[in-house]
Amino acid sequence: MPKVRVHIDNGIVTIELNNPDRRNAIDVEMAGELVDICETVDNTPKIGGVVIQGAGGQFCSGGDRDDLDDVTRAPLKTANFDRISVLYNAFVRVGGLQVPTVAAVRGAAVGAGLNLALAADLRVLATNARLIPGFVRLGFHPGGGHMHLLHRAAGPDTAAAMGMLGISLDGVEAQRVGLAWTVCADEDVEANARALLATAAADPELARFAKKSYTAQTRSAAIDWPTALNVERVAQLWSFARAGAAVS
């Protein structure tokens, strides 16, 4: 079975992470698949929206632990630096899709998996879903522009609480602070995400113009996301090196 499954229906593409044995953790291969899928979406005019979800009732537990273990042992090794870059740049590519996007979050979105959820324009969460920053509780500095994404979605207080302090939220709390457009029963998450995109998907050409205008008018900040990613990179690599030294 492919680790990333794709389905299109009525102008809506569903991108499903399909690594349920690892709670849909993303490895380098999956990150490459995500980039390829995004290219296909942007080059297919009949597509007017994208839903991002995870298989098996979980959204995404973050980066694959095998990859992360290699990085912590030698974070400055070129291959490991590139490995982390591939993962995070795939999320930037998802965030740059030319059509409206909705993350359908069941279970947990952890660390880099939370970044992926934040890459979407909107989020639909199960009431019992969990948004878990994860980084600082593992002794790692956040990466992937994590605090930039939190600030962009829900403001400085949420970025401080989750990015610096490692506070986790359930679906109801996430909606309260502005990280979720709506919350619903677990079994209704994906259907509600697709329903949000129905109008856009019916007119893909207009949806793409609207997405371009939305991006231009709402995603201005002191620094952009790719720059924030690089700002966090050095500190995160330092934290990986520290963890690797503690293990060895």
Side-chain angles (χ1 to χ4, degrees), residues 32-246:
E33 290 182 33
L34 279 173
V35 171
D36 291 342
I37 292 165
C38 290
E39 292 296 320
T40 299
V41 167
D42 281 347
N43 289 303
T44 307
K46 67 179 182 179
I47 295 171
V50 167
V51 172
I52 305 161
Q53 63 189 51
Q58 296 290 327
F59 186 71
C60 177
S61 61
D64 185 86
R65 285 307 298 263
D66 289 343
D67 286 344
L68 293 179
D69 287 345
D70 287 343
V71 172
T72 57
R73 283 191 288 269
L76 298 181
K77 186 177 178 180
T78 299
N80 289 334
F81 184 91
D82 291 344
R83 186 175 296 176
I84 291 296
S85 295
V86 168
L87 177 68
Y88 287 141
N89 287 332
F91 296 169
V92 174
R93 184 63 187 86
V94 170
L97 278 165
Q98 296 175 16
V99 298
T101 56
V102 179
V105 182
R106 299 169 62 197
V110 185
L114 177 52
N115 286 357
L116 178 58
L118 293 170
D121 301 319
L122 290 175
R123 283 149 294 282
V124 175
L125 270 62
T127 54
N128 61 351
R130 298 289 292 172
L131 301 185
I132 304 172
F135 295 105
V136 296
R137 294 192 180 190
L138 293 173
F140 297 150
H141 189 282
H146 186 66
M147 287 184 274
H148 170 84
L149 290 169
L150 287 166
H151 183 278
R152 188 179 78 181
D157 287 354
T158 298
M162 300 183 76
M164 290 195 298
L165 307 182
I167 303 298
S168 299
L169 304 176
D170 63 24
V172 175
E173 293 165 333
Q175 186 183 34
R176 176 179 57 81
V177 301
L179 284 176
W181 173 251
T182 189
V183 294
C184 57
D186 187 84
E187 63 270 19
D188 296 329
V189 170
E190 287 90 350
N192 284 342
R194 287 192 294 273
L196 281 174
L197 291 168
T199 299
D203 190 347
E205 186 176 24
L206 176 59
R208 287 167 184 259
F209 276 114
K211 176 63 178 279
K212 185 176 182 179
S213 296
Y214 163 78
T215 301
Q217 295 179 59
T218 65
R219 291 192 175 175
S220 60
I223 58 175
D224 61 18
W225 182 7
T227 303
L229 188 155
N230 288 323
V231 167
E232 290 183 351
R233 190 192 310 271
V234 173
Q236 188 178 55
L237 289 171
W238 162 81
S239 67
F240 286 157
R242 184 184 65 167

